[in-house]
Amino acid sequence: MTTKIASGLERAFATRGFAEPSVEDLRDAAGVSLRTLYKYAPSRDAMVRLALEHRHQRYLEHVFGDPTKSSKQGLNETLDRVAGWMRAEASHGCLFHAAVASAPDDAILRELLERHKAEVSQMAVARAGSDLSISDLMVIVEGLTQAWSLTKDAALTSAKRLAQLAEMAPV
């Protein structure tokens, strides 16, 4: 039940933003009664957090595959998968950044954003077996996701070029 609700909430926030949907809209998106919605997410803030946690897991699975496997994945493949996510799921940019922008003083949302970005960067470095630092990779992936809405595949080409240059540069 939680996955169904979280999925519906994620879709609603991704398509309509964080301010626009009413609680009734969110209930409809989740496909449950208002009572059930409040049982799993007792406030609008809790609904946003539930949606973002769901988004985080879906993103990790899309970009890195099965989280229980520690298989190697080249950096270009990781960047291709990020671009695939952007094409299919986030053509307007990062939902985590949008959430923080909608409530800049919400420390919990900021922590979710920071955790999401850190886990993505750490997993990308670990899977790629690269000598790039986590910070370097975060900048490359963030550049790709932020530039996507403006330049699409050109952002992917640039991210791959920057990753290649960074791997060749002395530390």
Side-chain angles (χ1 to χ4, degrees):
M1 180 65 73
T2 305
T3 301
K4 174 186 174 186
I5 293 169
S7 178
L9 293 172
E10 178 197 350
R11 250 186 340 275
F13 291 129
T15 58
R16 299 183 61 195
F18 291 95
E20 183 186 328
S22 67
V23 173
E24 290 76 19
D25 294 333
L26 296 172
R27 174 205 61 211
D28 292 346
V32 296
S33 69
L34 196 56
R35 180 182 180 120
T36 300
L37 177 60
Y38 277 121
K39 175 183 175 184
Y40 289 94
S43 67
R44 187 180 188 88
D45 288 345
M47 292 175 202
V48 170
R49 290 182 202 119
L50 185 62
L52 289 175
E53 288 290 350
H54 182 72
R55 179 79 156 210
H56 175 69
Q57 291 307 316
R58 283 194 335 102
Y59 184 84
L60 292 179
E61 288 171 15
H62 179 89
V63 173
F64 302 109
D66 186 344
T68 62
K69 295 180 181 174
S70 61
S71 61
K72 291 293 180 200
Q73 175 176 309
L75 191 49
N76 279 346
E77 182 181 352
T78 296
L79 295 172
D80 284 335
R81 287 176 175 223
V82 170
W85 175 270
M86 297 307 293
R87 276 185 205 98
E89 302 281 346
S91 61
H92 301 296
C94 175
L95 193 62
F96 289 85
H97 281 292
V100 170
S102 74
D105 296 328
D106 188 323
I108 294 171
L109 288 180
R110 178 158 298 284
E111 187 277 326
L112 282 172
L113 167 67
E114 290 171 2
R115 182 174 55 91
H116 172 70
K117 299 302 180 179
E119 283 185 34
V120 168
S121 299
Q122 290 165 359
M123 286 183 78
V125 167
R127 293 280 174 103
S130 172
D131 288 335
L132 285 178
S133 73
I134 291 170
S135 295
D136 288 344
L137 200 53
M138 182 182 291
V139 168
I140 293 167
V141 171
E142 281 301 292
L144 170 57
T145 59
Q146 293 304 312
W148 184 264
S149 64
L150 299 173
T151 63
K152 307 284 188 254
D153 285 320
L156 174 60
T157 301
S158 294
K160 286 180 176 181
R161 187 172 31 254
L162 290 171
Q164 184 180 25
L165 290 170
E167 286 182 319
M168 295 184 326
V171 180

Short mmCIF file of all heavy atoms in Angstrom, two decimals, residues 113-171:
data_model
loop_
_atom_site.label_atom_id
_atom_site.label_comp_id
_atom_site.label_asym_id
_atom_site.label_seq_id
_atom_site.Cartn_x
_atom_site.Cartn_y
_atom_site.Cartn_z
N LEU A 113 17.70 15.96 0.07
CA LEU A 113 18.44 16.36 -1.13
C LEU A 113 19.92 15.98 -1.00
O LEU A 113 20.49 15.35 -1.89
CB LEU A 113 18.30 17.87 -1.37
CG LEU A 113 19.25 18.50 -2.39
CD1 LEU A 113 18.94 18.01 -3.80
CD2 LEU A 113 19.17 20.01 -2.32
N GLU A 114 20.52 16.35 0.12
CA GLU A 114 21.94 16.07 0.33
C GLU A 114 22.22 14.57 0.34
O GLU A 114 23.20 14.10 -0.26
CB GLU A 114 22.42 16.72 1.62
CG GLU A 114 22.47 18.24 1.53
CD GLU A 114 22.72 18.92 2.86
OE1 GLU A 114 22.90 18.23 3.90
OE2 GLU A 114 22.75 20.17 2.88
N ARG A 115 21.37 13.82 1.00
CA ARG A 115 21.55 12.36 1.06
C ARG A 115 21.41 11.73 -0.31
O ARG A 115 22.20 10.88 -0.72
CB ARG A 115 20.56 11.72 2.04
CG ARG A 115 20.74 10.21 2.17
CD ARG A 115 19.86 9.60 3.24
NE ARG A 115 18.45 9.89 3.08
CZ ARG A 115 17.60 9.10 2.40
NH1 ARG A 115 18.02 8.00 1.82
NH2 ARG A 115 16.33 9.43 2.30
N HIS A 116 20.40 12.17 -1.06
CA HIS A 116 20.18 11.65 -2.41
C HIS A 116 21.42 11.89 -3.28
O HIS A 116 21.95 10.97 -3.91
CB HIS A 116 18.95 12.30 -3.03
CG HIS A 116 18.75 11.98 -4.47
ND1 HIS A 116 18.39 10.73 -4.92
CD2 HIS A 116 18.88 12.75 -5.58
CE1 HIS A 116 18.30 10.74 -6.24
NE2 HIS A 116 18.60 11.96 -6.66
N LYS A 117 21.89 13.12 -3.30
CA LYS A 117 23.04 13.47 -4.16
C LYS A 117 24.30 12.74 -3.71
O LYS A 117 25.07 12.27 -4.54
CB LYS A 117 23.27 14.98 -4.16
CG LYS A 117 22.09 15.78 -4.70
CD LYS A 117 21.72 15.38 -6.11
CE LYS A 117 20.54 16.20 -6.61
NZ LYS A 117 20.16 15.86 -7.98
N ALA A 118 24.50 12.62 -2.41
CA ALA A 118 25.68 11.92 -1.90
C ALA A 118 25.64 10.44 -2.26
O ALA A 118 26.65 9.88 -2.71
CB ALA A 118 25.79 12.10 -0.38
N GLU A 119 24.50 9.80 -2.08
CA GLU A 119 24.40 8.37 -2.40
C GLU A 119 24.60 8.11 -3.88
O GLU A 119 25.28 7.15 -4.27
CB GLU A 119 23.05 7.80 -1.93
CG GLU A 119 22.99 7.57 -0.44
CD GLU A 119 21.70 6.89 -0.01
OE1 GLU A 119 21.16 6.05 -0.77
OE2 GLU A 119 21.24 7.21 1.10
N VAL A 120 24.03 8.96 -4.71
CA VAL A 120 24.21 8.80 -6.16
C VAL A 120 25.69 8.91 -6.51
O VAL A 120 26.24 8.07 -7.23
CB VAL A 120 23.37 9.83 -6.94
CG1 VAL A 120 23.75 9.86 -8.41
CG2 VAL A 120 21.87 9.53 -6.77
N SER A 121 26.35 9.92 -6.01
CA SER A 121 27.76 10.14 -6.33
C SER A 121 28.63 9.01 -5.80
O SER A 121 29.54 8.52 -6.50
CB SER A 121 28.23 11.48 -5.75
OG SER A 121 27.48 12.53 -6.32
N GLN A 122 28.38 8.58 -4.57
CA GLN A 122 29.16 7.48 -3.98
C GLN A 122 28.98 6.19 -4.78
O GLN A 122 29.95 5.48 -5.06
CB GLN A 122 28.76 7.27 -2.53
CG GLN A 122 29.21 8.39 -1.62
CD GLN A 122 28.51 8.36 -0.26
OE1 GLN A 122 27.66 7.53 0.01
NE2 GLN A 122 28.86 9.31 0.59
N MET A 123 27.73 5.90 -5.16
CA MET A 123 27.48 4.68 -5.93
C MET A 123 28.11 4.77 -7.30
O MET A 123 28.65 3.78 -7.81
CB MET A 123 25.98 4.41 -6.03
CG MET A 123 25.36 3.91 -4.75
SD MET A 123 23.62 3.52 -4.93
CE MET A 123 23.72 1.94 -5.76
N ALA A 124 28.07 5.93 -7.92
CA ALA A 124 28.65 6.09 -9.26
C ALA A 124 30.15 5.85 -9.22
O ALA A 124 30.70 5.15 -10.08
CB ALA A 124 28.33 7.48 -9.81
N VAL A 125 30.83 6.40 -8.22
CA VAL A 125 32.28 6.20 -8.09
C VAL A 125 32.57 4.73 -7.81
O VAL A 125 33.45 4.13 -8.44
CB VAL A 125 32.87 7.10 -6.99
CG1 VAL A 125 34.28 6.67 -6.62
CG2 VAL A 125 32.87 8.55 -7.44
N ALA A 126 31.82 4.12 -6.91
CA ALA A 126 32.06 2.72 -6.55
C ALA A 126 31.80 1.79 -7.74
O ALA A 126 32.59 0.88 -8.00
CB ALA A 126 31.17 2.32 -5.37
N ARG A 127 30.74 2.03 -8.47
CA ARG A 127 30.40 1.16 -9.60
C ARG A 127 31.36 1.35 -10.77
O ARG A 127 31.64 0.42 -11.51
CB ARG A 127 28.97 1.41 -10.07
CG ARG A 127 27.90 1.00 -9.07
CD ARG A 127 27.64 -0.49 -9.12
NE ARG A 127 26.75 -0.94 -8.10
CZ ARG A 127 25.48 -1.24 -8.30
NH1 ARG A 127 24.95 -1.12 -9.49
NH2 ARG A 127 24.74 -1.68 -7.31
N ALA A 128 31.85 2.56 -10.96
CA ALA A 128 32.73 2.85 -12.09
C ALA A 128 34.15 2.38 -11.82
O ALA A 128 34.94 2.20 -12.76
CB ALA A 128 32.73 4.34 -12.40
N GLY A 129 34.51 2.22 -10.56
CA GLY A 129 35.88 1.87 -10.23
C GLY A 129 36.83 2.97 -10.67
O GLY A 129 37.97 2.74 -11.03
N SER A 130 36.35 4.18 -10.63
CA SER A 130 37.09 5.33 -11.13
C SER A 130 37.91 5.97 -10.03
O SER A 130 37.61 5.83 -8.85
CB SER A 130 36.09 6.35 -11.68
OG SER A 130 36.72 7.56 -12.01
N ASP A 131 38.94 6.70 -10.44
CA ASP A 131 39.74 7.47 -9.49
C ASP A 131 39.14 8.85 -9.25
O ASP A 131 39.71 9.64 -8.49
CB ASP A 131 41.18 7.62 -9.98
CG ASP A 131 41.95 6.30 -9.89
OD1 ASP A 131 41.58 5.46 -9.05
OD2 ASP A 131 42.90 6.13 -10.66
N LEU A 132 38.03 9.15 -9.90
CA LEU A 132 37.40 10.45 -9.68
C LEU A 132 36.93 10.56 -8.23
O LEU A 132 36.50 9.58 -7.63
CB LEU A 132 36.17 10.62 -10.58
CG LEU A 132 36.43 10.91 -12.05
CD1 LEU A 132 35.10 10.99 -12.79
CD2 LEU A 132 37.20 12.18 -12.23
N SER A 133 36.98 11.75 -7.70
CA SER A 133 36.47 11.96 -6.35
C SER A 133 34.95 12.01 -6.40
O SER A 133 34.35 12.25 -7.46
CB SER A 133 37.01 13.27 -5.77
OG SER A 133 36.38 14.37 -6.39
N ILE A 134 34.35 11.79 -5.27
CA ILE A 134 32.89 11.88 -5.17
C ILE A 134 32.43 13.28 -5.55
O ILE A 134 31.43 13.43 -6.26
CB ILE A 134 32.43 11.47 -3.76
CG1 ILE A 134 32.68 9.96 -3.56
CG2 ILE A 134 30.98 11.82 -3.51
CD1 ILE A 134 32.50 9.47 -2.16
N SER A 135 33.17 14.29 -5.13
CA SER A 135 32.80 15.67 -5.47
C SER A 135 32.88 15.92 -6.97
O SER A 135 32.00 16.57 -7.54
CB SER A 135 33.71 16.67 -4.76
OG SER A 135 33.52 16.59 -3.38
N ASP A 136 33.94 15.42 -7.63
CA ASP A 136 34.05 15.58 -9.07
C ASP A 136 32.86 14.96 -9.79
O ASP A 136 32.26 15.56 -10.68
CB ASP A 136 35.34 14.93 -9.60
CG ASP A 136 36.60 15.68 -9.23
OD1 ASP A 136 36.51 16.86 -8.82
OD2 ASP A 136 37.68 15.09 -9.35
N LEU A 137 32.54 13.74 -9.37
CA LEU A 137 31.43 13.05 -10.04
C LEU A 137 30.10 13.73 -9.75
O LEU A 137 29.24 13.80 -10.64
CB LEU A 137 31.41 11.58 -9.62
CG LEU A 137 30.64 10.70 -10.58
CD1 LEU A 137 31.12 10.86 -12.01
CD2 LEU A 137 30.75 9.27 -10.17
N MET A 138 29.94 14.25 -8.54
CA MET A 138 28.70 14.96 -8.23
C MET A 138 28.53 16.17 -9.15
O MET A 138 27.44 16.42 -9.66
CB MET A 138 28.66 15.41 -6.77
CG MET A 138 27.34 16.10 -6.40
SD MET A 138 27.25 16.71 -4.71
CE MET A 138 27.18 15.19 -3.80
N VAL A 139 29.60 16.90 -9.37
CA VAL A 139 29.53 18.07 -10.25
C VAL A 139 29.17 17.66 -11.68
O VAL A 139 28.34 18.30 -12.33
CB VAL A 139 30.84 18.88 -10.20
CG1 VAL A 139 30.90 19.92 -11.31
CG2 VAL A 139 31.01 19.54 -8.84
N ILE A 140 29.75 16.57 -12.15
CA ILE A 140 29.47 16.10 -13.51
C ILE A 140 28.01 15.65 -13.64
O ILE A 140 27.30 16.05 -14.57
CB ILE A 140 30.45 14.98 -13.92
CG1 ILE A 140 31.86 15.57 -14.05
CG2 ILE A 140 30.01 14.32 -15.22
CD1 ILE A 140 32.97 14.53 -14.15
N VAL A 141 27.55 14.84 -12.71
CA VAL A 141 26.16 14.35 -12.77
C VAL A 141 25.17 15.50 -12.58
O VAL A 141 24.17 15.60 -13.29
CB VAL A 141 25.92 13.22 -11.75
CG1 VAL A 141 24.44 12.85 -11.67
CG2 VAL A 141 26.74 11.99 -12.12
N GLU A 142 25.46 16.38 -11.63
CA GLU A 142 24.58 17.53 -11.41
C GLU A 142 24.55 18.45 -12.63
O GLU A 142 23.51 18.99 -12.99
CB GLU A 142 25.01 18.32 -10.17
CG GLU A 142 24.57 17.70 -8.88
CD GLU A 142 23.06 17.56 -8.82
OE1 GLU A 142 22.34 18.58 -8.74
OE2 GLU A 142 22.58 16.42 -8.85
N GLY A 143 25.70 18.63 -13.25
CA GLY A 143 25.75 19.43 -14.48
C GLY A 143 24.87 18.82 -15.55
O GLY A 143 24.13 19.53 -16.24
N LEU A 144 24.93 17.51 -15.68
CA LEU A 144 24.08 16.82 -16.65
C LEU A 144 22.60 17.03 -16.34
O LEU A 144 21.82 17.40 -17.22
CB LEU A 144 24.43 15.33 -16.68
CG LEU A 144 23.51 14.39 -17.46
CD1 LEU A 144 23.37 14.82 -18.91
CD2 LEU A 144 24.02 12.96 -17.35
N THR A 145 22.22 16.81 -15.09
CA THR A 145 20.79 16.91 -14.75
C THR A 145 20.28 18.34 -14.84
O THR A 145 19.16 18.58 -15.28
CB THR A 145 20.48 16.32 -13.37
OG1 THR A 145 21.22 17.02 -12.37
CG2 THR A 145 20.81 14.85 -13.31
N GLN A 146 21.10 19.31 -14.44
CA GLN A 146 20.65 20.70 -14.48
C GLN A 146 20.62 21.26 -15.90
O GLN A 146 19.77 22.08 -16.23
CB GLN A 146 21.51 21.57 -13.57
CG GLN A 146 21.35 21.24 -12.09
CD GLN A 146 19.92 21.32 -11.60
OE1 GLN A 146 19.22 22.28 -11.87
NE2 GLN A 146 19.46 20.28 -10.92
N ALA A 147 21.55 20.82 -16.74
CA ALA A 147 21.60 21.33 -18.11
C ALA A 147 20.61 20.60 -19.03
O ALA A 147 20.31 21.07 -20.12
CB ALA A 147 23.01 21.20 -18.67
N TRP A 148 20.11 19.46 -18.58
CA TRP A 148 19.26 18.63 -19.44
C TRP A 148 18.07 19.39 -20.02
O TRP A 148 17.79 19.29 -21.22
CB TRP A 148 18.77 17.39 -18.69
CG TRP A 148 18.00 16.50 -19.62
CD1 TRP A 148 16.65 16.45 -19.79
CD2 TRP A 148 18.56 15.59 -20.55
NE1 TRP A 148 16.32 15.55 -20.77
CE2 TRP A 148 17.49 15.01 -21.25
CE3 TRP A 148 19.86 15.21 -20.88
CZ2 TRP A 148 17.68 14.05 -22.25
CZ3 TRP A 148 20.05 14.26 -21.87
CH2 TRP A 148 18.96 13.69 -22.54
N SER A 149 17.36 20.13 -19.21
CA SER A 149 16.15 20.80 -19.71
C SER A 149 16.45 21.81 -20.81
O SER A 149 15.59 22.10 -21.64
CB SER A 149 15.39 21.47 -18.56
OG SER A 149 16.17 22.49 -18.00
N LEU A 150 17.68 22.31 -20.86
CA LEU A 150 18.05 23.29 -21.88
C LEU A 150 18.72 22.66 -23.10
O LEU A 150 18.48 23.09 -24.22
CB LEU A 150 19.00 24.34 -21.28
CG LEU A 150 18.43 25.16 -20.13
CD1 LEU A 150 19.52 26.03 -19.53
CD2 LEU A 150 17.27 26.00 -20.61
N THR A 151 19.57 21.65 -22.88
CA THR A 151 20.40 21.16 -23.98
C THR A 151 20.23 19.68 -24.31
O THR A 151 20.85 19.21 -25.26
CB THR A 151 21.89 21.45 -23.69
OG1 THR A 151 22.27 20.72 -22.52
CG2 THR A 151 22.14 22.93 -23.49
N LYS A 152 19.45 18.96 -23.55
CA LYS A 152 19.18 17.54 -23.77
C LYS A 152 20.46 16.73 -24.01
O LYS A 152 21.35 16.74 -23.18
CB LYS A 152 18.20 17.35 -24.94
CG LYS A 152 16.92 18.14 -24.82
CD LYS A 152 15.97 17.52 -23.84
CE LYS A 152 14.63 18.20 -23.86
NZ LYS A 152 14.38 19.04 -22.72
N ASP A 153 20.56 16.06 -25.16
CA ASP A 153 21.68 15.15 -25.41
C ASP A 153 23.03 15.85 -25.46
O ASP A 153 24.06 15.21 -25.21
CB ASP A 153 21.44 14.37 -26.70
CG ASP A 153 20.39 13.27 -26.51
OD1 ASP A 153 20.40 12.62 -25.45
OD2 ASP A 153 19.56 13.07 -27.42
N ALA A 154 23.05 17.13 -25.73
CA ALA A 154 24.32 17.86 -25.69
C ALA A 154 24.87 17.87 -24.26
O ALA A 154 26.09 17.85 -24.07
CB ALA A 154 24.15 19.29 -26.21
N ALA A 155 24.00 17.89 -23.28
CA ALA A 155 24.44 17.83 -21.88
C ALA A 155 25.11 16.49 -21.59
O ALA A 155 26.12 16.44 -20.88
CB ALA A 155 23.26 18.06 -20.93
N LEU A 156 24.57 15.41 -22.16
CA LEU A 156 25.17 14.09 -21.98
C LEU A 156 26.55 14.04 -22.63
O LEU A 156 27.51 13.55 -22.03
CB LEU A 156 24.26 13.00 -22.58
CG LEU A 156 24.83 11.59 -22.59
CD1 LEU A 156 25.15 11.11 -21.18
CD2 LEU A 156 23.85 10.65 -23.28
N THR A 157 26.66 14.56 -23.83
CA THR A 157 27.96 14.59 -24.52
C THR A 157 28.98 15.36 -23.70
O THR A 157 30.12 14.92 -23.51
CB THR A 157 27.80 15.22 -25.92
OG1 THR A 157 26.85 14.43 -26.66
CG2 THR A 157 29.12 15.28 -26.66
N SER A 158 28.59 16.51 -23.19
CA SER A 158 29.50 17.31 -22.37
C SER A 158 29.88 16.61 -21.08
O SER A 158 31.04 16.65 -20.66
CB SER A 158 28.87 18.68 -22.06
OG SER A 158 28.72 19.42 -23.25
N ALA A 159 28.92 15.97 -20.42
CA ALA A 159 29.20 15.26 -19.17
C ALA A 159 30.21 14.14 -19.41
O ALA A 159 31.14 13.95 -18.62
CB ALA A 159 27.92 14.70 -18.57
N LYS A 160 30.06 13.41 -20.51
CA LYS A 160 31.01 12.34 -20.83
C LYS A 160 32.39 12.92 -21.11
O LYS A 160 33.40 12.35 -20.68
CB LYS A 160 30.51 11.53 -22.02
CG LYS A 160 29.36 10.62 -21.68
CD LYS A 160 28.92 9.84 -22.90
CE LYS A 160 27.83 8.84 -22.57
NZ LYS A 160 27.42 8.05 -23.76
N ARG A 161 32.44 14.02 -21.82
CA ARG A 161 33.73 14.65 -22.13
C ARG A 161 34.40 15.12 -20.84
O ARG A 161 35.60 14.92 -20.63
CB ARG A 161 33.53 15.80 -23.11
CG ARG A 161 34.82 16.40 -23.60
CD ARG A 161 34.69 17.42 -24.72
NE ARG A 161 33.48 18.22 -24.75
CZ ARG A 161 32.47 18.06 -25.61
NH1 ARG A 161 32.51 17.13 -26.53
NH2 ARG A 161 31.41 18.85 -25.56
N LEU A 162 33.63 15.74 -19.95
CA LEU A 162 34.20 16.21 -18.68
C LEU A 162 34.68 15.05 -17.82
O LEU A 162 35.73 15.14 -17.17
CB LEU A 162 33.17 17.04 -17.93
CG LEU A 162 32.86 18.40 -18.54
CD1 LEU A 162 31.67 19.05 -17.84
CD2 LEU A 162 34.08 19.30 -18.49
N ALA A 163 33.93 13.96 -17.81
CA ALA A 163 34.35 12.79 -17.04
C ALA A 163 35.65 12.23 -17.58
O ALA A 163 36.56 11.88 -16.81
CB ALA A 163 33.25 11.72 -17.06
N GLN A 164 35.76 12.18 -18.90
CA GLN A 164 37.00 11.66 -19.51
C GLN A 164 38.18 12.58 -19.18
O GLN A 164 39.24 12.10 -18.81
CB GLN A 164 36.81 11.56 -21.02
CG GLN A 164 37.98 10.96 -21.74
CD GLN A 164 37.75 10.87 -23.24
OE1 GLN A 164 36.98 11.62 -23.81
NE2 GLN A 164 38.43 9.92 -23.87
N LEU A 165 37.98 13.87 -19.28
CA LEU A 165 39.04 14.82 -18.94
C LEU A 165 39.44 14.73 -17.47
O LEU A 165 40.61 14.76 -17.12
CB LEU A 165 38.62 16.26 -19.27
CG LEU A 165 38.51 16.62 -20.74
CD1 LEU A 165 37.84 17.98 -20.91
CD2 LEU A 165 39.88 16.60 -21.40
N ALA A 166 38.44 14.60 -16.61
CA ALA A 166 38.71 14.51 -15.17
C ALA A 166 39.47 13.24 -14.83
O ALA A 166 40.35 13.26 -13.96
CB ALA A 166 37.40 14.58 -14.40
N GLU A 167 39.16 12.14 -15.51
CA GLU A 167 39.87 10.89 -15.24
C GLU A 167 41.33 10.96 -15.68
O GLU A 167 42.19 10.30 -15.11
CB GLU A 167 39.16 9.72 -15.93
CG GLU A 167 37.88 9.33 -15.22
CD GLU A 167 37.18 8.14 -15.85
OE1 GLU A 167 37.13 8.05 -17.10
OE2 GLU A 167 36.68 7.30 -15.09
N MET A 168 41.62 11.78 -16.69
CA MET A 168 43.00 11.91 -17.20
C MET A 168 43.82 12.92 -16.40
O MET A 168 45.04 12.86 -16.40
CB MET A 168 42.98 12.33 -18.67
CG MET A 168 42.39 11.29 -19.58
SD MET A 168 42.44 11.67 -21.35
CE MET A 168 42.26 13.42 -21.46
N ALA A 169 43.14 13.85 -15.73
CA ALA A 169 43.85 14.93 -15.03
C ALA A 169 44.53 14.41 -13.77
O ALA A 169 43.99 13.57 -13.06
CB ALA A 169 42.85 16.03 -14.66
N PRO A 170 45.72 14.91 -13.50
CA PRO A 170 46.39 14.53 -12.24
C PRO A 170 45.62 15.10 -11.05
O PRO A 170 45.05 16.16 -11.13
CB PRO A 170 47.77 15.15 -12.35
CG PRO A 170 47.66 16.22 -13.39
CD PRO A 170 46.51 15.85 -14.28
N VAL A 171 45.64 14.36 -9.97
CA VAL A 171 44.91 14.78 -8.77
C VAL A 171 45.75 15.68 -7.92
O VAL A 171 46.90 15.64 -7.78
CB VAL A 171 44.42 13.56 -7.96
CG1 VAL A 171 43.68 14.00 -6.73
CG2 VAL A 171 43.56 12.70 -8.82
#
